[in-house]
Amino acid sequence: MMLGPSAMSGAALGAGLSLPAPLRGVVLARDCLEAEAGWLLVHLLKAELTQSGNGAAALPAGTLSPAHRRLVLLAAAQAASHYAAVLRKAGLNLPSLVAAGRLNLVELLPAAAGPGALPSLRDVHALLAAACSGDGGAGSSSSICLVVDDLTALHCLASNAADWSAFLHACTAVGQAPGCAFVGLAHGDVPDDERWLARLEAAAALVLEAEPLDCGPSADATGCLAVSVRDVGRGGDGSAPAGGAAEACAPGMRSYCYRLAETGASFVEQTV
Amino acid sequence: MELSLRILREGRAEPGAPAPLLVLRHSLAAAGGAVLLRHALSELAAAVASGRAQAAALLVVALERPAAAYPQQVTTLPTPSLAVLDGFTDAHGWGSLLGPCGSGSSGTDSSGSAAPASTVVRLPGLLAAAGGMQQLQTAVAAALAGLAQPVAVIFDSLSPLVDAAGAPAVAQLLHSLAAHPAASCLLAGLHADLHAAHEVGALEALAAGTLAATPAGDLERRVCAAAAGGAAPQGRLTARLRRRSGRVRCEVRLYRVTASGAVTFMEPPAEPAAGAPAAAAAADTAAAAAAAAAAGPLASQMAGGMKLGLSAEEEEARRRVQLPFEHQGQRDAYQAGDWRDYLPPEAGGRGLPGHGASVAAAAAGGRLQQQQQHQQAAAGPATTAAPAAAAAGGTAARQHQQAASLGRILYRQEQEQEQQQLQQQPQQQQQPQSQPQPQPQSQPQPQPQPQPKQDLLGVLLEAAGTPAGAAGGLTSELAASFCAVFDTLRPDQQAAKEMRLRLFVRRGLPGHAAREMRNALQRAGLA
C-alpha cells in the first residue's frame, strides 16, 4: 500500500503538531483529571476524516488512500450527539459520513436502557467486529482506524481480567494489522488500571500524554502534550514513511504546549 | 551488539551443551526496543543465509506482533528456512475484529511471492487455554522437526507468556528448548517494566547474555550529537555476555533509530582521565589566583571570586595548625569511654600533660599573659607589643582556656556528686581499714595524701579479693604497684585517680579499675 505525499504531511493534524500521518499501529492517548484529552481524540478524528486531501487523485490506481480507510468509533463515554456537535464545528457532517460508510459509530450508551442492560465485553467485541467488517460493498477496504472513547469506561464492563486482556488484545491486533490503526483514550490517574495501561503502552507505537501545566492553565496555554514515538510504523507493504513525516516518525519524545479554542487546538513545540 | 550476535551465530559450543539464550530487555522509558529486536533478527537471518551462523533455519514465535511482519524482514533467507508460529492473531480465542480476511487464513499457510516461502502456523487461543504452554511446546517441537537443522528460535516477546502462564512455566519452556538437540540458539524479547523483578531475574538467569535498552543520558545525547553532527542517540544498550570461558563481558553502546527503522550504534563518550578534573581544577585555580594577584591584595585573598578551594599558602598554614586536643597516642584512654582520661588538664581532663600542641599553645598563651601582666605592672599601660603578641598566640590559649573551663566545670560537678555519695556511705569505706583509721582522724585535712592512699589501697585490696575482681584482672600485686606510682602523681591527679577507682569499685567494675591502674603503670613505664 502506497500513500501519497500529501497524506504524509502532518499539517492536517494541527498547526505546530508533528505526528506520523496517517496514524499507524497502536496509538495511546492518556490524560488525567487535571488535563483531559477528549479534545485530542476529536482532533485525531478530524485529521483522519479530512485527510483525503488533494493527493488522492494522484495516487496510482489500485492503491488505497487514507480517505478509503474506514473509521470505526466506539463511543463508550460520550453520546453520538456530542461527536456530531464537535465534528460540525470542523465542517464535518456526522450523519452524512455515516451514510457514506466513511464512519461507523458504535454507541454503547443507548444500549444501556435500564439496570443490568450494560453489554458485556463479548457483546462489544461482536459489535466492533461487525462494524469493522462493514458491508463489503464497493469502495470498502480492509484498512480500519479503530478509535475507542474511552478504554477506562470500557474496563468497567469487564467481568474479569482475562476478558479485559482478550478485548484489549483484539483492539491491539487491529492496530498492528497492515494499514490499520487503533487509537485508544485512557485515563492515566486510575491506580487500578496501571497494569493494563503499562502493557498497552508497551505495545503502542505512539503515546500522546496530556499533562497540566505547573502553573495551571493560562490565556496562552491550556496544557502540555507529550508525544512519544516508540516504534517505527510501517505500511502494509513494509514501506517506511518518507518525506516530511520522516522526522515525526523517528522514535523519540517531543513536548508541546497546546491551547484549546472553540474551533480546535493550536500547538507550540517546547524545545528543551 | 556485534558481540551479542556472535554468540547467536556461534550457537552451541558442543553437541551436548545447551543452546545459548539471549534476552533483550525493553523498558517503557527507552524507545525503539522492538526495533532492536527486529534488527537482531535481520542480522541473524543474514548470517544464516550467508552460512556464517551455526543455525540453518529460523523459527519465529510471534506473540507481540503479527506473524505477517516477520517474513518481510528476513527476505535474505532461502527457502524453506523460516517458520513462524502465530500466537498473536487470535491469542485469546475471541476471533479477530478484522474477520478472517484481515487475520489471514486459518491453519497453515505460506506467504506470497514477495517474501520467501515460509510456513505460518496459527495457534489460536494460545494465551487463554489452560494447556497453552504445552500447546506451544508441541508446536515448537513440530516446527523444529520440519526445518533444516539446527534452528535459531526467536521469541519476539516473552511478556504475554509470562502474563498468561507465569515465569516458572516460561523458564521451563526456555530450558527445554535450550536442551533440544535441534535448537542452535535462542533470542527473546522481554518487557522488564511489566513484570516483577524476581520474574525477570529468573528468566535472565537462564540467559547466556542480556541486552538492556535504557534511555540515553542527557549528557550522552549532547556529546554524541555534537560529535555526530546533530544525530543524538535515543537509547543506551548495555550488553552483559557470558562467554564460553565463564567470564562476563560488559559492553555499552548508544543507539539511534531512524524513521526508516535503521539502527545505528555509536560509542559512548569516553570517560575523562582520573587526574584530568583535578589537574583542570588546579589549573583553573592557579589561573584565577594569578589573575587575582595582579588585581590587588584583597582580590588575591579571594582568589578571583567564589573560591571553594585553598591556595598553596593556605594549605600550608592549615597543615601547620595543631589542633588543641588531637590524638597523640591516647587511643586506649579514649576507647575507655571517659573523655577526661584523654583530655589534658588544661581542658579539664585527667590525661597526661604530654600533648605538645596543648602544652605549647597553653605555655605560649600563659607566657604571653605573664609578659603582658609584667609589662602592665612595670612599664605602664601603653604597651603595644604585648597585645599584638598575645593576639597572635593568645587565640589558641583562649580556646584552650575555654575548653579547659568547661571541662573543669564538668569535672567539678562530678567531683561534688562523688563526694556526696562518699558522705552518704562513710561506714563502707572505713570498716575494712583498721590500721589507717587513726591517721585520718588525727590528720583529716592538712595531709590528705597518706589517708586517701590507705583508704584507696584498702578498697582495692578488698575488691581484689572478690571473685569479680579476680575475673576482671584486679590483683593485690597490681594494687600495690599502682600505689607506688600513685605517690608520684600530682595532688590533683591523685584526687582524680582515686575518685575514679573508688567509683569503679563501688559500681562493681573491678575490671575497669584494673585497666585504669595498668594504664597508669604503662604511662609510668613500669608495665
Side-chain angles (χ1 to χ4, degrees):
Chain A
M1 178 179 72
M2 296 179 60
L3 299 173
S6 63
M8 299 298 181
S9 170
L13 293 173
L17 180 61
S18 179
L19 287 180
L23 293 176
R24 289 168 169 165
V26 178
V27 179
L28 172 63
R30 188 164 51 196
D31 65 356
C32 58
L33 191 61
E34 292 82 8
E36 294 187 348
W39 61 270
L40 183 60
L41 216 60
V42 175
H43 190 84
L44 296 176
L45 281 174
K46 286 190 291 187
E48 186 69 22
L49 291 171
T50 57
Q51 220 171 14
S52 57
N54 299 324
L59 292 176
T63 59
L64 293 171
S65 72
H68 293 159
R69 187 165 77 169
R70 289 185 295 113
L71 187 64
V72 177
L73 173 61
L74 177 60
Q78 304 283 355
S81 56
H82 167 77
Y83 296 100
V86 295
L87 290 176
R88 192 180 305 119
K89 292 182 181 178
L92 299 171
N93 191 338
L94 182 63
S96 61
L97 290 172
V98 173
R102 185 74 174 86
L103 171 65
N104 195 329
L105 181 61
V106 180
E107 194 175 9
L108 294 185
L109 292 181
L118 287 174
S120 65
L121 278 184
R122 287 269 190 180
D123 298 335
V124 176
H125 184 271
L127 289 174
L128 280 180
C132 291
S133 63
D135 58 356
S140 65
S141 70
S142 60
S143 295
I144 299 292
C145 179
L146 173 62
V147 180
V148 177
D149 180 21
D150 57 51
L151 292 170
T152 305
L154 278 178
H155 186 219
C156 301
L157 302 179
S159 55
N160 51 53
D163 280 358
W164 179 244
S165 298
F167 179 81
L168 213 57
H169 183 85
C171 295
T172 305
V174 170
Q176 297 190 354
C180 298
F182 164 58
V183 182
L185 174 65
H187 304 312
D189 49 1
V190 179
D192 293 340
D193 297 346
E194 285 181 2
R195 180 180 164 88
W196 62 262
L197 260 183
R199 279 152 179 77
L200 186 58
E201 183 178 354
L206 180 65
V207 178
L208 309 172
E209 185 159 9
E211 299 166 342
L213 293 173
D214 293 338
C215 56
S218 64
D220 297 330
T222 310
C224 183
L225 181 69
V227 178
S228 175
V229 180
R230 297 181 48 80
D231 194 4
V232 178
R234 289 185 171 273
D237 59 351
S239 63
E247 183 180 352
C249 294
M253 176 177 278
R254 291 182 297 279
S255 183
Y256 298 85
C257 279
Y258 65 88
R259 185 172 71 89
L260 296 180
E262 188 69 20
T263 56
S266 58
F267 302 89
V268 175
E269 184 169 2
Q270 286 182 320
T271 55
V272 178
Chain B
M1 192 70 171
E2 175 58 31
L3 192 58
S4 313
L5 293 176
R6 189 192 306 172
I7 291 179
L8 296 178
R9 288 197 303 267
E10 292 174 352
R12 288 175 184 265
E14 51 194 21
L21 167 65
L22 198 66
V23 174
L24 175 58
R25 290 180 52 165
H26 309 292
S27 68
L28 293 177
V35 181
L36 290 175
L37 184 72
R38 291 197 290 268
H39 173 79
L41 173 60
S42 301
E43 294 289 321
L44 185 58
V48 170
S50 62
R52 291 183 291 114
Q54 185 188 66
L58 282 179
L59 172 61
V60 179
V61 182
L63 295 168
E64 196 177 56
R65 294 284 188 273
Y70 292 105
Q72 300 165 357
Q73 287 187 304
V74 290
T75 57
T76 57
L77 276 182
T79 60
S81 302
L82 174 66
V84 181
L85 299 182
D86 184 6
F88 173 80
T89 301
D90 188 15
H92 294 269
W94 281 28
S96 173
L97 289 177
L98 297 176
C101 298
S103 62
S105 60
S106 60
T108 307
D109 62 354
S110 298
S111 60
S113 58
S118 61
T119 302
V120 179
V121 178
R122 290 191 57 195
L123 303 174
L126 178 68
L127 301 182
M133 293 300 292
Q134 187 62 35
Q135 178 187 0
L136 177 63
Q137 202 158 357
T138 305
V140 169
L144 289 175
L147 288 170
Q149 298 179 4
V151 181
V153 183
I154 295 98
F155 288 84
D156 61 352
S157 180
L158 294 176
S159 294
L161 290 179
V162 175
D163 287 340
V170 176
Q172 187 178 4
L173 171 67
L174 294 175
H175 184 73
S176 65
L177 283 179
H180 199 285
S184 170
C185 61
L186 303 172
L187 171 64
L190 180 68
H191 293 279
D193 295 351
L194 306 183
H195 309 290
H198 66 274
E199 294 179 331
V200 176
L203 296 177
E204 288 184 345
L206 299 173
T210 304
L211 298 172
T214 53
D218 185 46
L219 182 60
E220 289 175 334
R221 282 200 299 267
R222 283 189 283 165
V223 171
C224 291
Q234 291 139 349
R236 181 186 176 99
L237 189 65
T238 304
R240 293 178 58 86
L241 307 169
R242 187 170 66 238
R243 304 301 304 275
R244 293 179 184 178
S245 59
R247 291 185 305 156
V248 177
R249 179 173 172 176
C250 289
E251 196 178 57
V252 178
R253 291 287 185 274
L254 301 176
Y255 66 89
R256 174 176 170 79
V257 181
T258 62
S260 60
V263 181
T264 54
F265 294 95
M266 54 192 78
E267 292 286 337
E271 294 286 340
D284 292 341
T285 305
L298 182 59
S300 65
Q301 290 179 7
M302 296 301 294
M306 185 176 177
K307 180 172 69 71
L308 301 180
L310 297 175
S311 62
E313 294 80 11
E314 291 170 343
E315 285 284 357
E316 179 62 23
R318 183 184 181 185
R319 189 185 60 78
R320 280 189 273 107
V321 170
Q322 289 186 352
L323 297 177
F325 307 112
E326 61 185 359
H327 292 272
Q328 291 187 1
Q330 303 297 321
R331 185 176 61 89
D332 292 340
Y334 184 74
Q335 286 181 349
D338 193 351
W339 57 271
R340 285 179 288 272
D341 292 334
Y342 165 72
L343 294 178
E346 293 80 9
R350 296 185 288 269
L352 286 178
H355 280 266
S358 60
V359 170
R367 283 195 298 272
L368 288 172
Q369 286 185 354
Q370 290 177 2
Q371 288 177 3
Q372 188 177 6
Q373 290 174 1
H374 284 303
Q375 289 174 359
Q376 287 181 353
T383 306
T384 58
T395 304
R398 280 197 294 276
Q399 292 176 355
H400 293 311
Q401 288 177 0
Q402 289 173 1
S405 62
L406 177 61
R408 288 201 190 94
I409 290 172
L410 296 175
Y411 172 73
R412 222 173 281 121
Q413 287 178 354
E414 184 164 355
Q415 196 176 18
E416 290 172 0
Q417 292 175 1
E418 292 297 332
Q419 287 176 357
Q420 289 176 3
Q421 290 178 1
L422 286 174
Q423 290 172 1
Q424 288 174 1
Q425 298 177 356
Q427 297 179 357
Q428 293 180 2
Q429 296 176 8
Q430 293 178 0
Q431 281 178 358
Q433 301 167 3
S434 58
Q435 292 183 355
Q437 188 171 358
Q439 293 184 4
Q441 291 179 357
S442 60
Q443 298 176 353
Q445 291 181 358
Q447 297 180 356
Q449 290 185 1
Q451 182 180 355
K453 174 186 173 181
Q454 293 176 352
D455 291 342
L456 177 62
L457 181 59
V459 170
L460 293 176
L461 291 175
E462 182 185 0
T466 63
L474 178 56
T475 61
S476 56
E477 290 80 10
L478 179 62
S481 302
F482 172 75
C483 287
V485 175
F486 188 82
D487 294 335
T488 63
L489 301 177
R490 295 199 314 267
D492 58 338
Q493 292 177 339
Q494 287 180 353
K497 194 73 71 177
E498 177 185 357
M499 188 175 65
R500 279 203 306 279
L501 290 174
R502 287 178 181 277
L503 186 63
F504 285 141
V505 171
R506 189 180 314 114
R507 294 186 179 179
L509 300 172
H512 286 67
R515 189 166 57 210
E516 180 84 14
M517 288 187 283
R518 277 195 291 271
N519 289 341
L521 291 175
Q522 286 178 359
R523 291 192 209 104
L526 297 179

